[in-house]
DNA sequence: CTGTTAGCGCTTTCAG
DNA sequence: CTGAAAGCGCTAACAG
């Protein structure tokens, strides 16, 4: 920048002013500066810029699990778009599986002076962020130990929607598969129970299945087991996109066709032999809202107490969720 | 950091040395410093650190298109992992659709002093990066105007593999769907032609279909059109995961079943009514290699001339690609 | 071994 | 309106 100043025959401060909008600089001078900038191919050093006290860099951090999960990928994409529109870059923290990994990643990001953090939290305490002086928005699930903004979907409503739909079909033995210890899991189960209460149906607790892991394999195994019982369910509610996949795999192998409803839509759901009914929400909006909120917090424009944004869920009927109880036990002809 | 120094009753330099590994500091002193660091909850400011001349920040940039495409998501995830292991963060540049968007995003990233760039380039010239003084690794396709490292899959080999497989099945009318103007497109087509030459089959040029867009909808439309011709193909080679999806949608709607081979594997490919045969490569390895190479370049450990890493493709037979020509025209019974 | 000092590139008073 | 000067937090070179 000093080169630009010399070349334009002006002071350093003037160049800075021009670069930052050019207010309070005579037009003629500004022209000269801009010319010099072009000639030298000058680009402002964002790093030095963020060194100023108080000033944070123009980057947001996004901390999430597996980008390979379309759910997370959608969030990333959407927040990236919103951030980009405001000239913010998004730094992705690498998050390993281990519980400490997330904390390490977050601290790394904080030390990079990001202007704000979007976190899809794993279990674990996040109170260490309280004194960091960085705005935080949690996505998809709240975290313990920190009262921050949170953007999520209506998990309980979605769970209720799925179960109610199956109950309305006449199902009374509805298995629910739950990924371990996610916050969302509890809420979806709650909705499932509520739907049962609303029609005076009792929940067979042996059909509430807590999986040891949140992947398709665990769901596949559990589905196999529950379907081979003497009293199998006539319907299955898979509380996660990956779980749904596992359920479908097991059912295909077994040649059974209970009703199936999944939570979260997924690519090709409509192309499977029996198109899959799901409870879906606007995941991209999750990411967009989070980024918008964070941007407002970072700029100081938003000083309200921590917000809680809840996005609605909707049922998408495609076929698998509309099977009736009597058809469920039938062994598919091959 | 100055606070830490005061609290520990040592000089600023000493604290810096401790923070950076503590070589050349008496153990006792180091202890005191570390204690002060803990008490003050001190965290090094990475931004100030990267201000040093020559020193780049400990972040890599990743520039790619749509994270919602599992192909890109895999690359992102894998490179993120590798970078994270070396203490590097990954900054994602938001890439809009427009051609200028990519350039803007890249320059933004460069101005953030990233230590290196991984770019999945869109069309357009990248020579402007030549003088940036930042190592660049292109991923999946090379860019024009810049001789940099490139990591990609064996597109031509893959295209050949797909076509050869179909030809071996007796197919002689194989449509190939190509996304517009991607580098990869040309190579895959080349492989397709080679496979034909190898068995002395001639290519019906009306079956080489250049799509106006690279999405599923365009593929769906094109498939519908080509299948409704008087002389439809008996097999279709979809040169991209999204295109494959479009092809399948069209075929389901038409109730036709030509052989289908896709390029790039995708989730649930094995769960569709007819499991889909694909030519696949290790996408994650693409991301990993890119990150590793870039890290080596950034650290100066690798001073070789630009490398060209090509990953192999393999055929995964699942059923759709093993249909024979005579079954192709049959209208599926509903 | 350890304290001091000079910047890195930029923004921001503070004078002129 | 514009130039000069003081740092931001840190590292590296240089004396002790």
């Amino acid at each position: 920048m000093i080169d630009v100043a010399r070349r334009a025959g002006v002071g350093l401060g003037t160049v800075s002013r021009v670069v930052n909008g050019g207010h309070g600089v005579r037009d003629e001078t500004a022209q000269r500066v801009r010319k010099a900038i072009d000639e030298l191919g000058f680009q402002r050093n964002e790093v030095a810029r963020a060194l100023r006290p108080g000033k944070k860099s123009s980057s947001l951090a996004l901390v999430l699990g597996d980008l390979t999960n379309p759910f997370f990928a959608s969030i990333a994409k959407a927040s990236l778009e919103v951030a980009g529109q405001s000239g913010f870059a998004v730094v992705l923290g690498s998050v390993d599986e281990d519980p400490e990994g997330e904390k390490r990643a977050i601290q790394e990001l904080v030390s990079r002076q990001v202007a704000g953090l979007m976190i899809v939290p794993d279990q674990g305490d996040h109170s260490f962020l309280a004194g960091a002086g960085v705005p935080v928005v949690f996505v998809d699930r709240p975290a313990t130990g920190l009262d921050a903004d949170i953007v999520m979907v209506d998990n309980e409503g979605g769970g209720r929607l799925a179960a109610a739909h199956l109950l309305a079909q006449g199902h009374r033995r509805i298995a629910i598969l739950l990924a371990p210890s996610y916050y969302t899991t509890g809420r979806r189960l709650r909705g499932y129970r509520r739907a049962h209460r609303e029609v005076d149906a009792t929940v067979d607790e042996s059909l509430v299945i807590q999986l040891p892991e949140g992947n398709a394999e665990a769901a596949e195994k559990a589905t196999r087991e529950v379907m081979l019982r003497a009293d199998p369910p006539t319907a299955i509610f898979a509380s996660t996109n990956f779980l749904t996949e596992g359920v479908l795999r097991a059912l295909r192998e077994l040649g059974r066709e209970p009703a199936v409803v999944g939570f979260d839509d997924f690519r090709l759901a409509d192309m499977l032999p029996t198109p899959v009914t799901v409870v879906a929400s606007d995941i991209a909006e999750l990411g967009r809202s989070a980024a918008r909120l964070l941007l407002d917090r970072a700029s100081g424009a938003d000083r309200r107490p921590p917000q809680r944004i809840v996005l609605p869920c909707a049922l998408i009927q495609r076929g698998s969720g509309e099977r009736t109880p009597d058809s469920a036990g039938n062994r598919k002809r091959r």
Side-chain angles (χ1 to χ4, degrees), chain A:
Chain A
M1 183 177 260
I2 194 161
D3 297 332
V4 176
R6 264 202 289 270
R7 178 152 196 140
V10 300
L12 196 54
T14 306
V15 178
S16 175
R17 275 179 283 251
V18 171
V19 170
N20 294 293
H23 291 303
V25 178
R26 214 192 328 160
D27 230 32
E28 191 196 60
T29 317
Q31 290 300 330
R32 228 174 40 242
V33 173
R34 265 190 281 273
K35 182 150 162 287
I37 289 179
D38 278 354
E39 288 171 0
L40 266 52
F42 167 80
Q43 264 205 268
R44 175 171 62 189
N45 182 330
E46 287 293 332
V47 171
R49 188 162 199 239
L51 195 56
R52 235 65 245 307
K55 280 266 177 190
K56 291 291 177 177
S57 76
S58 59
S59 323
L60 302 181
L62 176 58
V63 181
L64 37 55
D66 180 5
L67 263 181
T68 266
N69 185 335
F71 177 81
F72 291 130
S74 292
I75 292 176
K77 182 194 179 188
S79 56
L80 201 61
E81 273 174 11
V82 172
Q85 281 161 13
S86 298
F88 277 70
V90 174
V91 190
L92 251 50
S94 81
V95 180
D96 322 73
E97 301 296 309
D98 66 296
E100 280 306 296
E102 181 177 321
K103 181 170 177 183
R104 254 209 324 278
I106 292 177
Q107 287 179 325
E108 276 260 327
L109 260 14
V110 171
S111 79
R112 284 180 163 78
Q113 313 299 110
V114 292
L117 292 160
M118 291 178 278
I119 306 179
V120 185
D122 213 39
Q123 59 234 68
D125 188 71
H126 288 253
S127 55
F128 66 93
L129 276 169
V134 187
V136 175
V137 174
F138 288 109
V139 184
D140 187 47
R141 31 201 196 239
T144 55
L146 187 63
D147 188 29
D149 291 312
I150 158 85
V151 183
M152 55 186 188
V153 303
D154 180 8
N155 289 294
E156 183 172 345
R160 180 178 153 274
L161 211 53
H165 182 62
L166 292 168
L167 287 163
Q169 232 77 210
H171 293 280
R172 283 301 177 274
R173 297 187 54 69
I174 307 172
I176 176 170
L177 264 50
L178 299 161
S181 66
Y182 290 161
Y183 161 86
T184 52
T185 274
R187 312 297 295 192
R188 290 170 194 180
L189 174 56
R190 198 175 177 136
Y192 164 94
R193 289 194 192 282
R194 181 144 68 94
H196 279 74
R197 265 202 311 280
E198 287 172 353
V199 296
D200 282 322
T202 58
V203 172
D204 177 345
E205 294 300 330
S206 76
L207 295 181
V208 175
I209 303 171
Q210 285 285 352
L211 267 27
E213 290 184 87
N215 55 35
E217 289 67 38
E220 187 174 346
K221 183 158 171 284
T223 302
R224 211 154 31 217
E225 287 171 5
V226 75
M227 289 307 293
L228 292 177
R229 284 192 205 162
D231 53 349
T234 63
I236 300 180
F237 172 30
S239 70
T240 261
N241 57 357
F242 280 1
L243 298 190
T244 308
E245 191 178 321
V247 168
L248 297 174
R249 286 223 146 77
L251 294 180
R252 179 179 65 166
E253 189 191 311
L254 295 170
R256 298 286 213 88
E257 294 193 326
V260 174
V261 175
F263 202 109
D264 281 335
D265 204 1
F266 56 94
R267 201 150 198 128
L268 296 177
D270 60 325
M271 292 289 288
L272 296 176
T274 302
V276 182
T277 295
V278 298
V279 168
S281 47
D282 189 346
I283 308 302
E285 183 54 32
L286 212 56
R288 265 181 251 121
S289 299
R292 271 195 295 262
L293 191 50
L294 188 53
L295 248 15
D296 284 348
R297 294 293 192 187
S299 71
D302 190 342
R303 303 190 160 290
R304 295 173 297 173
Q307 298 294 300
R308 179 192 181 79
I309 299 181
V310 178
L311 270 36
C313 292
L315 184 73
I316 303 179
Q317 303 186 28
R318 294 212 180 93
S320 75
E322 290 68 50
R323 292 177 184 137
T324 49
D326 40 299
S327 76
N330 295 344
R331 191 161 297 266
K332 189 165 50 173
R333 256 170 292 286
R334 308 207 192 195

